[in-house]
Structure formats: structure tokens, C-alpha cells
């Protein structure tokens, strides 16, 4: 969760005329925006049939299984679903582009159950703690070989949470080396028998990689809080690739996050379960909020990888504008800020759940300025608009609250930019009750990567708060 915020002056609302300064004749302003939905939602199956909640683990997206919507059909925050990886599930659900379920029994492929792997695009194995049966390993490997995505999350060696003699390192290595489909190092890596106490593994410098630079944000670092790494073997599978490495390691050793392919499918490996832990699981468990760790970008990593595994982005960085195609999608990550201080780059204290200013939906929002003293806050996220998109609409809800009494002087200002283009400027003169929807066309940026930036500059006396929520960048 977020750390303590700097104290803000108690705010009051002053109604004033609503003004909008927009530069560039190509920019269009509308009063509504409809989020683009995927024609066929990406279908993700989270496993909970192999002791994923044993001991202090609670690696489930919801206690409602198989369908998490049974707990809350329209979740807006991580606490709306109960589970230590509920943030992962809720973030996917909120995009409208994913259909999520949880498997609680044996994994099958080609069967008739609703959780049969043939009904899904991606299988997530969040630190399994019992061995897969021979039939299950055959099912998983054939699922990937025929085009499925496999997301394997390990933990450190010795993390045998149910005391059956097997930990996630051994279980996942057994899946890869002791199956009836291909046991000759099919993915091109093996998981190391290590217990690394702490580290912040860094991402490699590859701006085209869809997992590191996806629609949910840019990945810079991850987190090890007792975890392990993998050894890569490109001679066995040339597609294997290390994306984040333990400090001091590179190449084929010390890979903390790696991707690969097998047959027509895709594979991702993560060396610790702490990064997916959001500290909101069932009572009685000792959890850790790695999802919102301020020193890492774990949410973007998990979500980008899920999108890539499900076929939502290509090997060249997703819909990066290079092939002239466009898939209807919403491109901003953590669009309602409910994942806390992730995906966005923000001044300290901007992304907050403080009750002094209400969020439009959920608990979190971005609150720029509001101090009543000279201050500058920024909020930004870098996105790529595919070249084939003819429509690209940036939208957000804005509430402006001020203690200024002037009706003629803009003492405090908020500027919105996309790259070098100024989209709008607001000030204390635009204060009003409630949130107002703002919407701009970014179609001219198709085929380019730009940074969306909100900059709030406050004068020396009397506060003005610029509060932003429910952002979106919808393309089609």
C-alpha cells in the first residue's frame, strides 16, 4: 500500500466559471467517451487446485470460484475481491477485455468442464505447491504447444507451504522435464534452487519488448523478497529471453523474469510470488504488499505479461504502429489509480486514497497540488498509439477545488500535454463542484510513442486542488 502522504490544507469549494484553453486546431473536445472493448475477451484461468493457499500463501484473485464475479460483478478496487492477488484480477477485469476464472480441480485439456484449458487463452500457475499429475502435465504442455499462454510464478527453494516435500521450484521444473509431450528443455530454461533474500532486479534495455513496454505501462524494476532466478539455455530454445535480472547478473544466468515460446504458445516465468502479493488476502495470512512496492513496477509487469501471453500484443511490442493494424483497446495502465503508485510516474503523494478529496470511483485518484504554498506536481504515463488506428481518444475526469477568491487571475494552473503538444490548460478559475469529463483526440499521434503528462503548478498562497480520476486512452 502507499506510504504516508504529505499533509494537505483542508479544502473548500468555490464555484467558478468553467473555462478550457486548448491549443491545436486538430484537437477535438467532446462530453463523453465510450471505452473500447475487445471483440472477444482474453480468457485467463488462474489455478487454485495445487495448494496455492497453503500456509501463508493466498494466491487467488477471489474467494468466489470458479467465477470471481460472484463476489463482486463490477470490482473497482483490490478489496472488492478477496485474495492476495486480487489486484491482478481486478486490474484485468476493469479493462473489460478479459474473462477470468479459477480452477479448483485437476487441469484438463480437451475435456468438457467449464475450466478445461481448451476454453482459455492463458493459464496462470501462481506458486503451485503440489506436483502436477502425469495427465495434468500432458494437458498443460499440449495447451501451450497448441497456442496457449503459460504464466509460471515460482518462489524460493524450500518454500514448501504444505509440507509435502515439494516446493514451487521442484514442481515447475518437474513440469518442464518430466512430461509426455517434450521433456528436452522445451522452454529453454530451468529454475534455480536458490533462496535470494532481497533485491530489485532491473529490466533490460529493449524498448520494443511488449512485456516491458506494454499497454499497462513501462517496466523498470521488480522485487525479490525471498525468491529465485532461472538459468537460460538458448541452445535448447532460441526464443528464450531474460527480461529482468538479479543485480550483477545478465545473459544466461540470474534471470528473474523470462519469456519463451513452445510450439504455437507463449511462456513467462517469474522467480518470486512477493511481486504479485497485494496484502489484501484472507484473514490469518502473513502477506506482503509487493504489488504496490514503490521501488518496483510489478503491476505493469504482471499485466503486460498477461496481455502478451493471451495474444493481446505481438513480439515486436504489441500494437506498436509498425504493421499498420489497430485492435480496439484501452491503452492506459492503472487507469483508475486503484493499483496505487504503479504504472504512472508521479510526484510523491499524488496518487492517493486520502479521504480529504473523494475519488470519482473506487478509493484512489491523482491529487495534484492543494497545499496553499508554491508547489509543482506531475503525473505521467508513456503510451504508443498504433499507426493503423484512426481514432484515439484521451479522456479523464477532473475536479478542481480552490480557496482562491479571484474571478480574473489564474494563480494556480494545470497543464495537460501529449508529448510536445499542449492539450489543455486549467486554473483556479475553472473550479467547480463534482467531476467533469474531459476528452481529446490523439489520432494525429498514431504510429508514435508519447508521454501523457499532467503538470500542476500552485502559487504561494491559497490552495487549488486538481483531482483526476478514471483516465482512458481508447483506440480503434
Amino acid at each position: 500500500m502507499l506510504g504516508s502522504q504529505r499533509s494537505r490544507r483542508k479544502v473548500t469549494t468555490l464555484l467558478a466559471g468553467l473555462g478550457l484553453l486548448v491549443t491545436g486546431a486538430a484537437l477535438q473536445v467532446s462530453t463523453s467517451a465510450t471505452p473500447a472493448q475487445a471483440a472477444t475477451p482474453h480468457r485467463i484461468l488462474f489455478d487454485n487446485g495445487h495448494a496455492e493457499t497453503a500456509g501463508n500463501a493466498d494466491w487467488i484473485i477471489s474467494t468466489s470460484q470458479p467465477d470471481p464475479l460472484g463476489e463482486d460483478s463490477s470490482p473497482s478496487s483490490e478489496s472488492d475481491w478477496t485474495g492476495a492477488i486480487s489486484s491482478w484480477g481486478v486490474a484485468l477485469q476493469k479493462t473489460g477485455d478479459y474473462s477470468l476464472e479459477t480452477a479448483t480441480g485437476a487441469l484438463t485439456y480437451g475435456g468438457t468442464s467449464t475450466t478445461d484449458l481448451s476454453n482459455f487463452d492463458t493459464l496462470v500457475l501462481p506458486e503451485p505447491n503440489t506436483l502436477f499429475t502425469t495427465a495434468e502435465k500432458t494437458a498443460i504442455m499440449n495447451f501451450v504447444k497448441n497456442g496457449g499462454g503459460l504464466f509460471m510464478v515460482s518462489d524460493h527453494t524450500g518454500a514448501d507451504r504444505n509440507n509435502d516435500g515439494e516446493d514451487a521450484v521442484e514442481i515447475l521444473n518437474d513440469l518442464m522435464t518430466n512430461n509426455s509431450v517434450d521433456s528436452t528443455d522445451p522452454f529453454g530454461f530451468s529454475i534455480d534452487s536458490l533462496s535470494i533474500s532481497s533485491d530489485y532486479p532491473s529490466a533490460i534495455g529493449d524498448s520494443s519488448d511488449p512485456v516491458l513496454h506494454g499497454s499497462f505501462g513501462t517496466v523498470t524494476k521488480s522485487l525479490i523478497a525471498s525468491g529465485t532466478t532461472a538459468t537460460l539455455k538458448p541452445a535448447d530454445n532460441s526464443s528464450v529471453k531474460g527480461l529482468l535480472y538479479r543485480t550483477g547478473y545478465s545473459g544466461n544466468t540470474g534471470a528473474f523474469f523470462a519469456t519463451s515460446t513452445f510450439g504455437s504458445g507463449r511462456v513467462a516465468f517469474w522467480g518470486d510470488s512477493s511481486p504479485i502479493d497485494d496484502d489484501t488476502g484472507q484473514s490469518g495470512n502473513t502477506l506482503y504488499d509487493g504489488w504496490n512496492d514503490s521501488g518496483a513496477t510489478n503491476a505493469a509487469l504482471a499485466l503486460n505479461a498477461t496481455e502478451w501471453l493471451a495474444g493481446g500484443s505481438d513480439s515486436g511490442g504489441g500494437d506498436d504502429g509498425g504493421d499498420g493494424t489497430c485492435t480496439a483497446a484501452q491503452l492506459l495502465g492503472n487507469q483508475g489509480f486503484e493499483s496505487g503508485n504503479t504504472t504512472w510516474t508521479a510526484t510523491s503523494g499524488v496518487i492517493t486514497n486520502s479521504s480529504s478529496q473523494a475519488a470519482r470511483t473506487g478509493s484512489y485518484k491523482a491529487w495534484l497540488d492543494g497545499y496553499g504554498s508554491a508547489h509543482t506536481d506531475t503525473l505521467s504515463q508513456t503510451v504508443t498509439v498504433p499507426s493503423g488506428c484512426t481514432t484515439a481518444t484521451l479522456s479523464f475526469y477532473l475536479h478542481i477545488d480552490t480557496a482562491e477568491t479571484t474571478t480574473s487571475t489564474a494563480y494556480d494552473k494545470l497543464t495537460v500535454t501529449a508529448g510536445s503538444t499542449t492539450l489543455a490548460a486549467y486554473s483556479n478559475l475553472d473550479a467547480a463542484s463534482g467531476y467533469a469529463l474531459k476528452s481529446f483526440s490523439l489520432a494525429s499521434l498514431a504510429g508514435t510513442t508519447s508521454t501523457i503528462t499532467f503538470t500542476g503548478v500552485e502559487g504561494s498562497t491559497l490552495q487549488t486542488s486538481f483531482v483526476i480520476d478514471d483516465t482512458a486512452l481508447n483506440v480503434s
Side-chain angles (χ1 to χ4, degrees):
M1 307 299 291
L2 291 174
S4 60
Q5 309 298 321
R6 291 175 290 176
S7 61
R8 296 184 184 268
R9 178 182 294 236
K10 189 173 182 179
V11 299
T12 58
T13 300
L14 176 67
L15 298 181
L18 181 62
L20 176 64
L21 301 176
V22 182
T23 63
L27 299 175
Q28 302 173 358
V29 181
S30 64
T31 58
S32 63
T34 302
Q37 301 290 318
T40 302
H42 303 308
R43 303 162 299 174
I44 314 298
L45 182 66
F46 287 82
D47 183 45
N48 185 30
H50 297 84
E52 279 88 355
T53 59
N56 282 325
D58 195 48
W59 313 138
I60 56 174
I61 58 173
S62 169
T63 52
S64 176
Q65 300 170 14
D67 186 1
L69 298 181
E71 183 173 10
D72 190 319
S73 61
S74 184
S76 61
S77 67
E78 59 188 18
S79 59
D80 289 338
W81 288 354
T82 305
I85 60 173
S86 60
S87 286
W88 191 350
V90 169
L92 293 174
Q93 181 66 33
K94 286 174 64 177
T95 68
D97 294 338
Y98 293 83
S99 173
L100 314 177
E101 291 198 32
T102 299
T104 57
L107 295 171
T108 60
Y109 181 54
T112 59
S113 72
T114 58
T115 57
D116 185 82
L117 289 172
S118 63
N119 298 320
F120 296 89
D121 301 304
T122 298
L123 169 65
V124 179
L125 302 177
E127 196 194 336
N129 252 257
T130 59
L131 286 167
F132 297 103
T133 66
T134 299
E136 286 181 312
K137 288 185 286 186
T138 299
I140 294 170
M141 296 301 293
N142 278 328
F143 167 69
V144 180
K145 185 177 181 180
N146 293 330
L150 178 63
F151 203 146
M152 300 188 294
V153 180
S154 184
D155 202 1
H156 61 91
T157 190
D160 180 8
R161 298 180 184 272
N162 60 342
N163 299 313
D164 69 345
E166 306 289 347
D167 57 35
V169 173
E170 297 165 321
I171 292 164
L172 295 175
N173 276 335
D174 178 72
L175 168 65
M176 294 185 287
T177 62
N178 184 26
N179 66 80
S180 64
V181 179
D182 188 340
S183 294
T184 60
D185 193 22
F187 305 154
F189 65 85
S190 60
I191 304 173
D192 303 323
S193 296
L194 295 174
S195 183
I196 304 163
S197 60
S198 62
D199 193 21
Y200 281 94
S202 296
I204 63 171
D206 186 348
S207 61
S208 69
D209 190 272
V211 175
L212 299 179
H213 301 273
S215 65
F216 291 95
T218 297
V219 176
T220 56
K221 288 182 179 293
S222 188
L223 163 75
I224 299 180
S226 292
T228 188
T229 56
T231 297
L232 310 187
K233 303 172 185 179
D236 295 338
N237 186 327
S238 60
S239 70
V240 70
K241 180 179 181 182
L243 300 188
L244 291 96
Y245 284 84
R246 180 184 179 187
T247 301
Y249 290 77
S250 62
N252 294 334
T253 59
F256 182 59
F257 196 102
T259 58
S260 187
T261 62
F262 175 62
S264 301
R266 297 171 172 179
V267 179
F269 159 79
W270 209 340
D272 193 2
S273 54
S274 294
I276 63 173
D277 187 348
D278 63 21
D279 194 27
T280 65
Q282 301 173 88
S283 62
N285 292 314
T286 302
L287 302 170
Y288 174 78
D289 191 8
W291 184 267
N292 295 307
D293 191 290
S294 60
T297 47
N298 292 317
L301 181 53
L303 299 171
N304 285 346
T306 307
E307 179 184 47
W308 176 75
L309 289 168
S313 57
D314 60 36
S315 60
D319 286 326
D320 60 2
D323 57 7
T325 63
C326 181
T327 300
Q330 193 291 116
L331 302 183
L332 291 180
N334 193 18
Q335 63 189 107
F337 307 105
E338 296 304 320
S339 294
N341 195 24
T342 64
T343 308
W344 295 91
T345 299
T347 308
S348 177
V350 165
I351 298 177
T352 176
N353 63 350
S354 168
S355 60
S356 297
Q357 283 284 358
R360 178 179 176 270
T361 60
S363 302
Y364 285 84
K365 65 277 174 181
W367 180 359
L368 289 81
D369 298 332
Y371 290 87
S373 59
H375 184 77
T376 298
D377 275 333
T378 59
L379 172 74
S380 64
Q381 185 173 149
T382 300
V383 294
T384 299
V385 179
S387 63
C389 295
T390 57
T391 300
T393 304
L394 172 68
S395 63
F396 57 91
Y397 284 84
L398 174 65
H399 169 59
I400 302 176
D401 183 297
T402 189
E404 299 283 0
T405 58
T406 179
T407 59
S408 60
T409 305
Y411 290 114
D412 313 310
K413 300 177 182 179
L414 174 73
T415 304
V416 186
T417 60
S420 60
T421 301
T422 299
L423 303 180
Y426 307 92
S427 74
N428 50 280
L429 300 178
D430 303 316
S433 60
Y435 282 86
L437 178 63
K438 309 299 179 184
S439 183
F440 310 97
S441 172
L442 300 186
S444 63
L445 299 180
T448 68
T449 298
S450 301
T451 300
I452 308 299
T453 304
F454 299 84
T455 304
V457 179
E458 192 172 24
S460 59
T461 60
L462 298 179
Q463 74 84 25
T464 297
S465 296
F466 302 99
V467 190
I468 300 163
D469 205 356
D470 297 327
T471 66
L473 177 50
N474 292 306
V475 299
S476 61

